[in-house]
Amino acid sequence: MASQAAKPTVTVLDYGAGNVRSVINALELLGCDVDLVRTAKDVRAAEILVFPGVGCFAAAMDALDELGVLDALRDYLRDKDRPFLGICLGLQLLFASSEESPGREGVGAVDGVVKKLRPPQQVAIPHMGWNEALATKESPLFQPRERYYFVHSFAIDTCDPKWAAAVSDYGGQRFTCAVADGRRAACQFHPEKSGKQGLALLRRFVSLARSTQANLGAVVSGTTTLAPRIIAALDVRTNDQGDLVVTKGDGYDVREKTEGERAVRNLGKPVDLCARYYDEGADEICILNICAFKGEAAGDLPLLGVLRKASERCFVPLTIGGGVRDYTASDGSSVTALDVADAYFRAGADKVGIGSDAVKAAKGYYASTSQKTSIEQIATKYGRQAVVVSLDPRRVWLSDNEDAPSGENGAPAPLVVTHATARGPSGESRCWWRATTSGGRTDEPICAVAVAVAAAALGAGEFMVNCIDCDGKGTGYDIDLLKLVKQSVEVPVIASSGAGQPSHFSDVFKGAHVDAALAAGIFHRREVAISEVKAAVR
């Protein structure tokens, strides 16, 4: 009885890529002790083994090989009574091979094939967001129908029927999203990032690891749907007193509109707001360090502390943006963009946002420079789904007879549109969108849409499209801009800047076919509730 009452010890197989911190936080919240695998001996001795994975199939297998745990992992998986849970890439690696890395052998514990998603409908890849999982057999682990957070470009195409446990649909393609046999299971989705239902699944897994559990319910039929994502964003910076605060700009101006000294607008403490948005049902939370372009992001201990604490209280995806670039630190050492991303992921981030450095990368792409960009470095290690490019475009108005400037250094000429709703200072209706850097402070001689095309080619997995002209206005998103970006790339697009009421969200999903919509100020000030927005878009 004493051993049964003792806290369960879960061993997490961390091979150095991705946000293992979130898995650890979730397990500790559930009352588990957590150990990390250091050697093959740790795998063999594990009471309960959890294998989270992100990134590239081949890189992950190489890391397992280098860690010297492959044989021990294969031995562990041969026993159906030994508790095991694979997450995301931790599912795919159980198979013999993947189209992602031809010729690279996987763990080979489950018969089946991992292939690139090729949905017959035109949808964004990666498959990213909150989709449903339908159980294909009765299970003590998987509910008959439940919604979880997915982010992946490859999936199980065929699977040994003995293992197949749940399926999902995306763009008209059905794929196996979970497998189970005995106490061994794995899922394509992220339970540690799926809110209360994800935590409930992890709790059931830990219980199943220690005793027999009853099946949850009968199998149901039907198809699954991907929900529109609603993202709460926090612009974070230090105020004039040196405190880290959440602020919000009007056209990117974050200072109060008062006479004399104009203080930085303070809308709350970052961790408390993150926790509030998680409780209110935000699908994701985005923390943007809006002054990181002039600091040392990898050494920003207060911001990294905010991220760690937020990840302990928020079990939905966390994106951190700002300062992801190469720079020379104050001690003279060289810091790469990948070093910054490593620090963010270790602190609890699931995705990193790249802003100014993406414009630099796009310029290099069109000029055919050979230097490996920050986008490529991070996408290679963590997978493209971990790289969010944040665009800060500003409209450039053209008179009726005026042509847009030619592209510089190989970049294409700007795409010009007749704007459906906005007008320039002299009544102009034709415009293009100029890319900016340094938080909108510096205009760049390149079209924002051209930056998106280049960044996608380099490995960006998602775009956050802000619009300086709409920021803080509350009159709606720039649907013309968003349609242009959405039509130019094949990855998910997040609408940002301009939301003032729930209908603005439904308008942008219908009008621009974006994959997610983000807001900040209206949520901070409680002008609109997240629940109101979700009711409007679903």
Side-chain angles (χ1 to χ4, degrees), residues 90 153 254 346 514:
S153 300
V254 300
R346 284 195 300 270
V514 294

Side-chain angles (χ1 to χ4, degrees), residues 77 94 109-111 137 159-165 178-181 184-186:
L77 286 164
L94 299 183
V110 185
D111 292 333
K137 65 180 180 183
C159 179
D160 181 347
K162 179 184 75 172
W163 280 85
V179 299
D181 184 39
R184 304 168 298 178

Side-chain angles (χ1 to χ4, degrees), residues 21 25 28 44 51 64-66 108 117 160 167 199 208 241 273 292 300 323 335 356 360 392 440 447 461-462 503 512:
R21 169 53 49 192
N25 289 341
E28 289 180 342
R44 297 186 191 282
F51 182 19
L64 293 174
D65 224 351
E66 187 175 339
L117 284 169
D160 181 347
V167 295
L199 293 174
L208 178 63
Q241 290 73 45
L273 275 178
D300 190 343
V335 179
S356 298
K360 175 184 174 183
D392 295 315
C447 176
E462 191 172 25
S503 63

Side-chain angles (χ1 to χ4, degrees), residues 144-168:
R145 188 179 200 124
E146 189 62 274
R147 195 173 289 279
Y148 301 104
Y149 180 78
F150 289 77
V151 53
H152 61 113
S153 300
F154 293 80
I156 310 307
D157 185 66
T158 58
C159 179
D160 181 347
K162 179 184 75 172
W163 280 85
V167 295
S168 291

